[in-house]
Amino acid sequence: MEMLNNKFITIKTDIEEAPHESMFEIKTQTLPPLDEHDVLVKCLYVSIDPYQINRMKSRSSSQNSVAAASKITPGMTINCLGLGRVVASNHPDYQKNDIVHGTINWAEYTIVKTQDMLKKLDTIEFPLSYYVGIFGFSGLTAYGGFFKICKPKKEDKVFVSAAAGSVGNLVGQYAKLFGCYVVGCAGTKQKVNFLKEKLGFDEAFNYKEETDLNSTLQRYFPDGIDIYFDNVGGEMLEAVVANMNAFGRIAACGVLSGYTNSKKHIALSMVDVVYKRIMIHGFLATDFTSNDFNDFMSVTKDYVRAGKLSVPEDISFGIETIPSAFVGLFRGDNVGKKIVQIAKE
Ligand code: NAP
């Protein structure tokens, strides 16, 4: 294989608070020759996810949890979930032109060591971008968090935060298909309309326009909340606990309100948690990769085939758009799954 120049995105320094485009740069490296069992992948689609901000900090307890959450060193490549085409392979299981998805980099090319997760796509039934969104960790998080952690019952009253985002929109749609009453919150009027008019949420509100979240939730849940899918933490979580029914379940999925504001502290009413017997359960998508993955894929693909699940995606084109795509997550720019397409299929 001839020497290949590879552009990749990196951080200039550790990022402790809100990210800005100026904190990122595009670098070029010359790729080394492939070792035995290496696979060279041309990156087509890469996932843009909020959790990466915790990897960019000088330290965060999250960095010791699972390999995918490990610290990112300034100047080095940044790995993520993505999809690409094999351009050269020293591994017998992968051939040139195979479409693969798994761990690749925010880069034009990635040399994948075979110990990394890399799955071959044998049949191409859906748009390729779905494999970094709805059929990737966003979908698995929504499915596992809702069905396995929240253990819904029909007609449960469900609240979802960051509901127009990648995970949130799917949680709301799964919950509606299951027969729950679903309310979502999001940060703009357009997103609120999208949730109600396009995704079939029963209600939605703009949390940025609300001055008293406790009374807002009382308004939307006069009979209390049974399930809260928490993407944001913070004051919203405090208000939810106050409005939760006995034996309510909270899936603690993410803490968007805290990722870029380390000074943020909240005071949950532990009296409510105890006397209402509320279950608050943190989880990671990787908890569902073995036992629940096949169910997730077959149920979700059936829903998509039947046109019952919408797949909102927000795709920008070109490796140079990765910094603004990522920073935009924390400004609320995206509707649905944020993806960058690095190259044409
Ligand atoms: P996303 O919702 O598609 O994108 C982020 C959205 O969050 C933004 O569009 C914005 O929408 C909202 N947001 C940003 N800053 C906020 C703040 N300070 N307060 C409230 N909302 C804010 O992202 P995602 O990939 O679906 O992730 C959603 C959550 O799930 C994140 O917390 C993420 O870390 C978590 N997650 C967890 C796992 C897991 O394994 N546990 C896996 C995937 C994702 P608005 O306009 O509505 O503000």
Side-chain angles (χ1 to χ4, degrees):
M1 190 188 80
E2 61 190 69
M3 301 289 256
L4 200 61
N5 283 332
N6 181 34
K7 284 189 191 151
F8 65 99
I9 298 290
T10 188
I11 48 172
K12 292 179 184 167
T13 56
D14 293 331
I15 301 177
E16 309 297 351
E17 300 285 337
H20 184 270
E21 283 88 336
S22 62
M23 299 166 176
F24 296 81
E25 62 185 329
I26 298 193
K27 285 188 142 187
T28 304
Q29 61 184 178
T30 303
L31 289 175
L34 297 189
D35 287 335
E36 197 189 351
H37 289 144
D38 282 358
V39 180
L40 178 65
V41 176
K42 180 173 182 180
C43 306
L44 300 179
Y45 293 96
V46 291
S47 179
I48 307 294
D49 299 280
Y51 81 95
Q52 300 274 21
I53 194 73
N54 295 322
R55 304 182 65 197
M56 295 172 185
K57 295 176 182 173
S58 54
R59 50 183 303 183
S60 161
S61 55
S62 61
Q63 294 170 0
N64 301 321
S65 59
V66 289
S70 60
K71 179 167 167 39
I72 293 165
T73 309
M76 304 305 285
T77 51
I78 296 172
N79 62 6
C80 68
L81 179 67
L83 177 142
R85 186 183 293 280
V86 173
V87 290
S89 172
N90 277 349
H91 192 288
D93 294 347
Y94 301 92
Q95 269 75 50
K96 193 172 173 194
N97 286 330
D98 282 349
I99 297 290
V100 289
H101 56 111
T103 305
I104 59 174
N105 295 334
W106 282 356
E108 292 177 314
Y109 295 91
T110 306
I111 293 177
V112 181
K113 304 281 175 190
T114 52
Q115 63 268 28
D116 290 331
M117 190 187 78
L118 199 61
K119 282 191 185 158
K120 218 154 80 170
L121 207 62
D122 291 322
T123 47
I124 299 181
E125 183 188 353
F126 300 97
L128 294 181
S129 55
Y130 285 17
Y131 290 87
V132 301
I134 186 163
F135 300 147
F137 283 117
S138 303
L140 185 61
T141 303
Y143 182 91
F146 181 63
F147 289 109
K148 303 298 165 184
I149 305 289
C150 299
K151 298 192 171 56
K153 296 188 286 302
K154 284 194 195 323
E155 297 181 15
D156 269 350
K157 291 172 276 303
V158 176
F159 179 48
V160 189
S161 50
S166 178
V167 173
N169 90 81
L170 292 172
V171 172
Q173 293 192 76
Y174 282 130
K176 277 307 300 173
L177 286 164
F178 188 75
C180 297
Y181 171 80
V182 182
V183 178
C185 71
T188 66
K189 190 167 182 287
Q190 289 75 8
K191 290 184 182 184
V192 166
N193 291 340
F194 171 71
L195 293 174
K196 291 197 287 188
E197 287 158 22
K198 293 276 185 325
L199 299 190
F201 281 51
D202 294 288
E203 286 292 347
F205 65 88
N206 180 351
Y207 69 95
K208 290 182 181 166
E209 284 178 349
E210 301 293 331
T211 48
D212 177 356
L213 294 174
N214 201 347
S215 51
T216 304
L217 291 176
Q218 278 167 25
R219 206 162 73 232
Y220 287 100
F221 294 97
D223 300 322
I225 300 170
D226 298 307
I227 288 175
Y228 175 43
F229 196 101
D230 183 14
N231 286 316
V232 302
E235 290 92 350
M236 190 61 85
L237 177 58
E238 279 180 337
V240 168
V241 166
N243 284 278
M244 206 87 198
N245 288 331
F247 300 103
R249 286 86 72 204
I250 298 178
C253 176
V255 196
L256 271 159
S257 72
Y259 292 162
T260 55
N261 182 354
S262 57
K263 291 176 194 73
K264 198 154 207 149
H265 295 293
I266 58 161
L268 282 190
S269 166
M270 289 312 288
V271 171
D272 274 335
V273 172
V274 172
Y275 282 84
K276 294 186 197 171
R277 287 85 103 204
I278 295 171
M279 190 271 301
I280 305 178
H281 192 146
F283 70 96
L284 294 175
T286 45
D287 300 341
F288 311 114
T289 41
S290 29
N291 292 343
D292 305 303
F293 190 79
N294 291 342
D295 280 352
F296 152 67
M297 280 301 248
S298 86
V299 168
T300 305
K301 283 183 173 176
D302 284 351
Y303 278 147
V304 174
R305 277 188 202 104
K308 291 181 175 172
L309 263 183
S310 296
V311 189
E313 296 180 315
D314 187 333
I315 303 181
S316 42
F317 186 82
I319 189 170
E320 62 287 350
T321 66
I322 288 179
S324 61
F326 178 66
V327 171
L329 293 175
F330 303 94
R331 290 191 295 243
D333 291 352
N334 63 306
V335 180
K337 174 68 196 168
K338 187 69 211 178
I339 292 169
V340 172
Q341 184 176 6
I342 309 256
K344 297 267 185 228
E345 292 169 17

